[in-house]
Amino acid sequence: MNYTLHQLQVFQKIVETGSITKAAEELHLTQPAVSIQLRNFQDQFDIPLTEVLGRKIHVTEFGYEIAELAENILTQVQAINGKTMAFKGQLTGRLKIAVVSTGKYVMPYFLTDFLKKHPSVELKMDVTNKNKVLETLEQNEIDLALVSILPPGINLEYQDLLDNNLYLVGSSAMEVNSHVKHEEIFKEFPLIFRESGSGTRKTMEKFIEGNKISIQKKMELTSNEAVKQAVLAGLGFSIMPLIGIKNELQTKQLKIIPVKGLPITTKWRLVWLKGKKHMPLPLAYLEFLKENKEDIVKKFFSDMGGKED
């Protein structure tokens, strides 16, 4: 056999993503290039690694075993590269972070300068729903996670990054009588919720229950972007994090509806399991944040009501 490390990397990524298209995106390659590497790799085995049923690629049982071995090989290669870079005095390795969906508007700004300073560091950032973030956190599959509400029942340590301010928001085209009491606003228009389990959803429900507000109509959507588009279209109001609607407020597509008790302020926090023994890379990143967080907040979030801690 004469397979290459590149072929191992391509095959392992196909198995991980379950798709040639997604593998190509994550590896920054074209689909034809990934398909060629897969074919060249598979030609070296007498037993099929994958099969195509309909338009979907499926990994065989033998393929999964090979993928597991490939991942082990790639991990060892990464360790060799890491040792080499360490002897040169350079930080290296893969930083694994899980981010709740709205956190995609926050996390990149706290990573840019660190990654520029350490070009040999790889980043794996999974932007997903809160339940998936907590699952990967509890299973110790990641180094750090970004959340806006600390989950109960999990012993965590954390570092505050930024205030998370939530306001009642509506389309600029929707007319709201400024003299109407805030309880009446919620009766007049549908309130759009995030899915159950979302941090934003929990914050909304706590506000509504605490103020004994009666909701006549509501709808539920599964992402912050979907909620934003629904509000833009005039389907209703929502209580949303300011961080995700900054551009729409500046272009006057959306407007904040003044309501007693709002904004609600939570914290964007980078969290990890209590007692976790961090490797040098995440330790270096946390130290970087301690030294640079204040400057990052001032540079990128000074107009968002962010406060340094």
Side-chain angles (χ1 to χ4, degrees), residues 60-97:
T60 66
E61 183 179 350
F62 177 66
Y64 278 116
E65 292 188 10
I66 296 300
E68 185 177 350
L69 293 171
E71 185 172 8
N72 291 336
I73 292 170
L74 293 169
T75 299
Q76 293 302 314
V77 170
Q78 188 179 52
I80 292 171
N81 292 338
K83 291 289 186 183
T84 304
M85 301 306 292
F87 268 91
K88 294 180 178 179
Q90 297 182 32
L91 194 62
T92 187
R94 176 180 289 185
L95 184 63
K96 294 177 287 186
I97 302 177

Side-chain angles (χ1 to χ4, degrees), residues 59-275:
V59 182
T60 66
E61 183 179 350
F62 177 66
Y64 278 116
E65 292 188 10
I66 296 300
E68 185 177 350
L69 293 171
E71 185 172 8
N72 291 336
I73 292 170
L74 293 169
T75 299
Q76 293 302 314
V77 170
Q78 188 179 52
I80 292 171
N81 292 338
K83 291 289 186 183
T84 304
M85 301 306 292
F87 268 91
K88 294 180 178 179
Q90 297 182 32
L91 194 62
T92 187
R94 176 180 289 185
L95 184 63
K96 294 177 287 186
I97 302 177
V99 177
V100 294
S101 58
T102 312
K104 66 187 176 185
Y105 302 110
V106 176
M107 200 67 233
Y109 295 98
F110 290 91
L111 285 162
T112 300
D113 287 346
F114 180 78
L115 294 176
K116 286 180 179 178
K117 184 178 179 181
H118 304 287
S120 298
V121 169
E122 294 181 28
L123 172 67
K124 182 175 182 181
M125 188 171 77
D126 185 20
V127 180
T128 184
N129 61 57
K130 182 183 176 183
N131 290 336
K132 182 64 175 175
V133 168
L134 296 181
E135 179 184 329
T136 56
L137 186 66
E138 289 186 282
Q139 293 178 0
N140 203 28
E141 296 176 359
I142 55 175
D143 299 310
L144 305 162
L146 182 71
V147 298
S148 60
I149 297 177
L150 291 176
I154 307 178
N155 288 326
L156 298 173
E157 297 179 65
Y158 61 87
Q159 184 168 327
D160 289 345
L161 295 186
L162 182 71
D163 280 355
N164 182 36
N165 297 310
L166 295 93
Y167 291 84
L168 181 66
V169 178
S171 166
S172 295
M174 297 180 74
E175 296 294 333
V176 180
N177 188 335
S178 60
H179 299 292
V180 173
K181 294 181 179 179
H182 71 275
E183 305 92 51
E184 300 299 322
I185 290 177
F186 293 100
K187 291 180 181 179
E188 186 177 353
F189 295 100
L191 192 62
I192 304 172
F193 283 73
R194 282 287 305 276
E195 77 281 7
S196 181
S198 153
T200 301
R201 169 72 172 259
K202 287 182 181 296
T203 302
M204 288 178 64
E205 290 177 335
K206 185 176 179 181
F207 170 76
I208 291 166
E209 291 168 7
N211 289 274
K212 297 184 171 68
I213 296 172
S214 176
I215 304 298
Q216 298 298 322
K217 305 174 185 177
K218 69 177 182 180
M219 63 185 75
E220 182 177 303
L221 300 175
T222 57
S223 74
N224 194 68
E225 188 62 30
V227 171
K228 181 166 67 175
Q229 293 303 320
V231 174
L232 283 167
L235 291 177
F237 293 126
S238 189
I239 297 175
M240 303 184 69
L242 192 62
I243 191 72
I245 56 173
K246 180 168 66 171
N247 292 336
E248 288 75 15
L249 290 173
Q250 290 176 344
T251 58
K252 301 189 184 305
Q253 294 174 277
L254 294 177
K255 61 184 176 183
I256 291 173
I257 313 299
V259 171
K260 182 182 178 181
L262 296 178
I264 304 165
T265 300
T266 61
K267 291 280 187 184
W268 286 113
R269 290 183 167 112
L270 210 55
V271 304
W272 58 93
L273 292 175
K274 189 175 181 63

